[in-house]
Amino acid sequence: SEMCIRDRKKDDARFKEEPFATAPGFFFANNDIKYEINKLRAKKYVKLSNESITYSAAKVTPSTDALKEKPDLSYDKLSWLQRHDRESGDLYGMLPLIRGMPVALTDHIDRSPDKNLLRGRRGYIHSWVLDNEEAKETKFIDGHRVLHKLPKVAFVQFYKELDGKEVREEWCLEGLDEKGLYPIFPKRGIWFLDKGRQNPRLQISRHQIPLAPAFAMTAHAAQGQTLGKGAIVDLLNPGAHAMG
């Protein structure tokens, strides 16, 4: 993965400045690379922003059929957290939460015309609320921590483009003081270990906040989007022709 983000001018200071620091900078032909780049750039964003990183670990539950066919399945749970979101119900295994980090919705949240919060819509993490049972001793180690419980909610700040600049949306939800702020709650997604079967049976449920870091996306997902903050495109990567 490190090789995938290598560029010919890796020390170019412009990559650490706006608009490129938070731009959806890399475009790839498949989700595996996109997933890895998003994780790597989230770690870089922490250093640039002097913030800490909180990981929301997804909760996974095998179905009864899955446990019957593979009784040792529980030992595989840790490896499932490394599967990319498109393979796992469109939900991240380990979702990094960083204040100010650009994120994209992985599900349709609000279809109302004034909000239009659909899958792929970008925003920025404002804050989140921990579960009441989250252990108080869950501390940061070297600038990061892994939560034992899913957060109750994550708040995302959404913007619109006006005269070439990003400005906050005008709508404001009841009970919230800031315009363009929207609560994103954990949801359930399902996927199948045996998805190649004619009739898949080994169902796995995953609960997670439906967000993903928005530093990278596939060429397919980028089609039709207006990237006002600019982008960094590695045209030397295999599959770069898809950006044509």
Side-chain angles (χ1 to χ4, degrees), residues 4-180:
C4 293
I5 62 172
R6 184 184 64 226
D7 58 87
R8 300 301 183 265
K9 295 182 179 180
K10 61 182 178 180
D11 296 323
D12 193 326
R14 291 175 295 178
F15 293 158
K16 301 178 181 180
E17 300 172 354
E18 292 296 341
F20 296 110
T22 56
F26 290 89
F27 298 91
F28 296 98
N30 63 67
N31 285 291
D32 296 281
I33 301 178
K34 178 207 72 175
Y35 183 67
E36 292 300 322
I37 297 306
N38 269 329
K39 291 194 295 185
L40 289 171
R41 289 199 69 194
K43 293 179 181 179
K44 290 181 181 293
Y45 180 80
V46 166
K47 296 180 180 179
L48 294 175
S49 61
N50 294 318
E51 290 282 349
S52 55
I53 184 168
T54 294
Y55 284 101
S56 171
K59 304 306 176 185
V60 294
T61 306
S63 66
T64 301
D65 285 341
L67 288 173
K68 285 181 178 179
E69 186 163 330
K70 296 189 175 184
D72 296 329
L73 212 54
S74 58
Y75 294 107
D76 296 330
K77 284 187 176 181
L78 187 60
S79 65
W80 295 346
L81 293 178
Q82 305 305 316
R83 296 169 68 103
H84 69 69
D85 51 319
R86 298 312 298 271
E87 282 187 342
S88 310
D90 290 330
L91 296 170
Y92 259 56
M94 297 292 288
L95 173 65
L97 297 173
I98 310 167
R99 298 185 194 280
M101 184 182 77
V103 290
L105 299 175
T106 64
D107 194 14
H108 300 320
I109 301 298
D110 193 327
R111 298 173 182 268
S112 58
D114 62 325
K115 298 179 183 67
N116 199 36
L117 301 181
L118 306 180
R119 183 186 295 117
R121 176 75 185 271
R122 281 167 49 89
Y124 298 88
I125 292 181
H126 175 277
S127 56
W128 54 90
V129 178
L130 297 181
D131 187 276
N132 292 338
E133 297 182 7
E134 183 65 41
K136 293 183 178 179
E137 62 268 21
T138 304
K139 298 180 180 179
F140 288 94
I141 300 176
D142 294 330
H144 74 273
R145 65 176 173 177
V146 178
L147 299 178
H148 299 289
K149 301 283 186 178
L150 287 175
K152 288 183 178 180
V153 61
F155 290 95
V156 177
Q157 185 77 62
F158 290 96
Y159 293 78
K160 62 181 177 180
E161 188 168 316
L162 184 64
D163 298 329
K165 297 181 180 180
E166 280 190 334
V167 297
R168 291 187 183 187
E169 290 281 7
E170 291 297 319
W171 46 263
C172 185
L173 298 186
E174 183 178 354
L176 299 180
D177 296 329
E178 297 187 39
K179 293 181 178 180

